[in-house]
Amino acid sequence: QGEKVMTADIPAQMLTETAETVLRRRYYLKDQEGNPIETWETLCRRVADAVAEAGERPANFEELRRLFFEMIYRMDFLPNSPCLMNAGTDLGQLSACFVLPVPDSMDGIFSAIRNGALVHKTGGGTGYSFSRLRSKNASVRSTQGVASGPLSFAAVFDAATETIKQGGKRRGANMGVLRIDHPDILDFIVAKQDQEKFNNFNFSVAITDAFMTALAEDGEYDLIEPATGDTIRSLKARDVFEQIVDLAWLNGEPGVLFIDAANQGNPTPQLGLFEATNPCGEQWLLPYESCNLGSINLARFVADGAIDYRRLEETVHTATVFLDNVIDCNRFPIPEIEEMTLKTRKIGLGIMGMHDMLIQLGIPYGSEFGRKTAAEVMQFIHDAAEAESMRIAEKKGAFPAYDASVNDYPARRNAALTSIQPTGTVSMIADCASGCEPYFSIVMIKHVMDGDRLILINKYFEQVARAEGFYSEELMHKVADSGTVIGHSEIPEKWQEIFRTAQDISPDDHIKMQGILQKSGVDSSISKTINLPGTATRADVKHSYILGYNLGCKGLTVYRDGSRDSQVLNTKERS
Ligand code: ADP
């Protein structure tokens, strides 16, 4: 159902109206007048051909381009937006994620702004750590003046981003990170309270294990001047943590990153330490590293009520070859990024449609079994990607920075394989739940022109409701009005459980899902929102952060229902 046959052996998934609109607006190449000159099929061929070619045309070029085409055309796997937009074009920049260093010098800071501008122009997102910058009012020897501090420089990064509209396709997106032991941390925590400021940034505090220990012991911790290494003063960990909690409760920012957990998973510590992530937090990268992402659409891997592991394995193998090839046909914005990226050859293979998969299997997202199933699938994807990466290493060599003395895994082609990205736009193309998130709504009423109301019903829910005979217009309106399937006696309990949405799932269950996925084969990190009800207290936020930390998450983003009108990235894309 919902599939049309294009050629004898490739059933294509039909594009939804939303998908077609998004593609026409931002993905299809356009002629001089701005009219789209592509279709989904020709776009997929452009991407598949460019990535199969990767440098010198390989002997198995024909087979590769066919495999790549089929996988993308059917939406079993979609690469990140820059790849879909730019592959096979003159721009040719295919990666979504970059981290750029911000050294503590005028030259360093303004070079970073320039480099970031070049990345944004090509559709990439940038992460910066401002932790190396000397604090506000620290002395500047050359001018005998005082420094303006990380925040005033961050404002310049923000203004630069505002100015570059990225060819109308994407606005720039940044992550700004400051360590919890930076002397300006208190200013940083409240910086985004002013809603006019830093609108092109997500801000996150990099929290250390030392801080968490001080917090647990209700003790103090030191603020350290980065320029000199001097201890400036000590603060009570609890006071600072409560500030973060207050602000996150108020409007979801700052987020928290657990920087020591991330560095424990650093595959190449000899090259440097992680200081920052990309804008949505799923990629910890070294300064000047970039990473290209792609996501397996799990909605497409359930057959006869079970996960089709054989087809999933084949797809992961092909996707791994695809993402590794992307590195070789990528046009990097600056030489430093090219050099670093080629040393580690990181890729970010992720998932989307995880909730679709669980619904098709009849398993509630927030249940123990839901987590177990998700974890099994993620581990399977990791292991299959690793097997393929090792095979590529045998043919083409391991990533150049591979050092058996540091790494406890066999030589492979890519220093990192997996992450879970938000898939904000690509999941709209594939018509599935984004990343590892549960659906946000099951029935929604959309107001269109002339006072007309359009009712949007989750495709699985409609199917079940009709098949089991509880479908009625009246019920759909009731579900839309209450915003949940819970508590409607017409809907059998089983389905109420399966169709719980992001707000119906408890915060602890959200965090436990993130925690178990992190431990089940996710090399880098996970972009996930922990939804809290509007009535959640500050203590609930605090509890969430501590639970996330204890479960081994590498970062956490909470969002209390109704606390913010718009979010920086993905919800804006959706509206
Ligand atoms: P998509 O679905 O468009 O491929 P995701 O929502 O999965 O993208 O985001 C993945 C990463 O892409 C983000 O973490 C960020 O690094 C980058 N990104 C997302 N949106 C933007 C944007 N508007 N501008 C620049 N980079 C972006």
Side-chain angles (χ1 to χ4, degrees):
Q1 237 213 345
E3 297 200 336
K4 67 174 181 185
V5 176
M6 191 202 63
T7 65
D9 59 345
I10 311 176
Q13 212 187 5
M14 266 208 291
L15 292 174
T16 62
E17 226 180 280
T18 310
E20 188 62 46
T21 307
V22 170
L23 286 165
R24 289 179 69 87
R25 223 180 265 165
R26 285 191 274 176
Y27 291 78
Y28 293 157
L29 296 183
K30 299 193 169 107
D31 64 15
Q32 303 259 327
E33 275 90 58
N35 299 311
I37 51 167
E38 285 191 303
T39 61
W40 179 237
E41 182 185 338
T42 58
L43 178 149
C44 295
R45 291 205 188 283
R46 165 169 60 78
V47 174
D49 288 358
V51 177
E53 189 92 45
E56 243 169 78
R57 178 171 289 202
N60 61 345
F61 173 71
E62 287 303 327
E63 187 199 358
L64 273 188
R65 69 195 286 241
R66 181 180 59 80
L67 288 174
F68 291 170
F69 171 77
E70 288 178 8
M71 164 176 84
I72 300 171
Y73 185 69
R74 289 180 183 142
M75 302 197 198
D76 289 342
F77 162 91
L78 290 181
N80 57 206
S81 290
C83 180
L84 290 172
M85 290 168 177
N86 303 337
T89 71
D90 289 343
L91 192 57
Q93 196 294 104
L94 312 181
S95 298
C97 311
F98 297 80
V99 165
L100 293 168
V102 187
D104 184 38
S105 68
M106 275 305 182
D107 188 28
I109 293 167
F110 284 89
S111 297
I113 293 172
R114 166 198 177 266
N115 293 341
L118 294 177
V119 170
H120 288 172
K121 203 178 82 175
T122 66
T126 40
Y128 305 96
S129 166
F130 296 114
S131 305
R132 296 193 212 179
L133 300 186
R134 73 192 70 183
S135 61
K136 193 170 69 183
N137 301 328
S139 62
V140 180
R141 210 154 47 117
S142 57
T143 59
Q144 313 224 306
V146 292
S148 8
L151 273 169
S152 60
F153 285 117
V156 186
F157 283 77
D158 192 59
T161 310
E162 188 69 39
T163 311
I164 307 157
K165 294 292 182 200
Q166 301 189 341
K169 283 183 176 169
R170 308 236 263 192
R171 294 185 52 189
N174 301 296
M175 172 65 89
V177 179
L178 199 69
R179 281 176 68 93
I180 189 100
D181 50 15
H182 190 284
D184 290 355
I185 192 63
L186 293 174
D187 292 342
F188 181 79
I189 292 169
V190 297
K192 288 202 69 175
Q193 211 177 3
D194 181 347
Q195 306 235 342
E196 303 292 303
K197 282 189 169 165
F198 303 115
N199 280 320
N200 301 296
F201 265 97
N202 289 324
F203 272 180
S204 287
V205 179
I207 292 185
T208 58
D209 286 348
F211 175 85
M212 290 308 279
T213 307
L215 182 68
E217 292 167 354
D218 200 15
E220 299 198 331
Y221 77 105
D222 294 341
L223 296 187
I224 298 167
E225 178 57 45
T228 58
D230 295 342
T231 298
I232 300 299
R233 60 180 170 138
S234 301
L235 294 177
K236 231 178 143 46
R238 182 152 48 107
D239 292 347
V240 179
F241 196 62
E242 276 173 6
Q243 271 278 6
I244 297 173
V245 165
D246 268 3
L247 274 294
W249 178 86
L250 207 62
N251 70 357
E253 271 194 278
V256 296
L257 293 170
F258 298 119
I259 194 167
D260 291 331
N263 273 303
Q264 268 157 32
N266 180 357
T268 55
Q270 77 278 18
L271 292 187
L273 295 179
F274 291 141
E275 298 171 16
T277 68
N278 70 332
C280 303
E282 72 276 16
Q283 279 297 338
W284 283 93
L285 295 171
L286 300 175
Y288 289 124
E289 262 186 327
S290 69
C291 182
N292 71 94
L293 314 172
S295 302
I296 302 272
N297 177 5
L298 292 174
R300 306 257 313 140
F301 291 89
V302 180
D304 302 323
I307 296 163
D308 186 345
Y309 276 110
R310 192 192 55 80
R311 211 167 70 76
L312 181 59
E313 185 173 22
E314 282 171 12
T315 307
V316 171
H317 288 166
T318 309
T320 306
V321 176
F322 179 94
L323 293 174
D324 184 62
N325 266 17
V326 166
I327 300 169
D328 293 317
C329 58
N330 209 347
R331 300 231 172 94
F332 295 93
I334 56 170
E336 291 89 336
I337 292 176
E338 176 161 19
E339 192 190 323
M340 251 332 256
T341 305
L342 291 178
K343 274 187 195 161
T344 52
R345 303 187 64 89
K346 289 181 179 172
I347 59 174
L349 181 63
I351 54 176
M352 57 182 164
M354 193 187 92
H355 197 197
D356 301 60
M357 174 191 82
L358 292 174
I359 290 172
Q360 290 175 46
L361 294 170
I363 304 172
Y365 183 101
S367 66
E368 197 65 49
F369 192 39
R371 289 191 281 278
K372 188 169 162 276
T373 308
E376 252 168 44
V377 169
M378 197 60 228
Q379 189 68 55
F380 181 87
I381 290 174
H382 173 274
D383 295 351
E386 182 164 61
E388 187 60 41
S389 185
M390 283 160 60
R391 259 194 299 276
I392 307 172
E394 277 165 25
K395 274 190 277 180
K396 301 184 175 178
F399 64 91
Y402 178 79
D403 178 347
S405 64
V406 191
N407 297 308
D408 57 1
Y409 52 79
R412 64 188 200 200
R413 181 71 167 161
N414 316 92
L417 295 162
T418 46
S419 59
I420 302 181
Q421 32 278 4
T423 68
T425 340
V426 295
S427 66
M428 289 169 82
I429 298 174
D431 189 29
C432 63
S434 53
C436 62
E437 299 286 10
Y439 272 104
F440 204 72
S441 80
I442 295 296
V443 184
M444 213 167 64
I445 306 244
K446 205 171 161 183
H447 295 272
V448 287
M449 292 204 298
D450 303 328
D452 274 359
R453 282 153 42 113
L454 195 68
I455 186 153
L456 304 172
I457 308 171
N458 175 285
K459 57 188 171 185
Y460 308 105
F461 186 66
E462 177 162 3
Q463 204 179 13
V464 165
R466 287 188 191 277
E468 301 219 342
F470 64 84
Y471 182 91
S472 73
E473 287 266 325
E474 193 198 342
L475 175 64
M476 296 305 129
H477 279 94
K478 270 172 37 186
V479 172
D481 289 343
S482 71
T484 174
V485 295
I486 311 285
H488 299 281
S489 56
E490 301 92 321
I491 307 172
E493 293 252 320
K494 171 185 166 193
W495 298 116
Q496 292 192 24
E497 283 308 309
I498 288 171
F499 287 100
R500 272 180 187 265
T501 57
Q503 297 94 323
D504 300 327
I505 290 165
S506 77
D508 279 15
D509 282 340
H510 278 287
I511 299 166
K512 285 183 196 163
M513 181 61 95
Q514 185 180 332
I516 198 165
L517 286 169
Q518 184 67 65
K519 283 193 183 144
S520 309
V522 176
D523 294 330
S524 199
S525 191
I526 298 173
S527 166
K528 166 139 183 58
T529 303
I530 309 304
N531 294 90
L532 303 174
T535 53
T537 61
R538 289 167 167 83
D540 294 331
V541 173
K542 194 169 173 178
H543 161 83
S544 293
Y545 282 165
I546 292 174
L547 180 63
Y549 175 73
N550 288 335
L551 291 180
C553 296
K554 295 184 184 176
L556 216 66
T557 307
V558 298
Y559 176 70
R560 189 170 58 90
D561 198 23
S563 63
R564 210 180 346 173
D565 298 337
S566 63
Q567 275 168 290
V568 174
L569 285 176
N570 299 301
T571 46
K572 203 180 266 176
E573 303 231 19
R574 277 175 192 283
S575 57

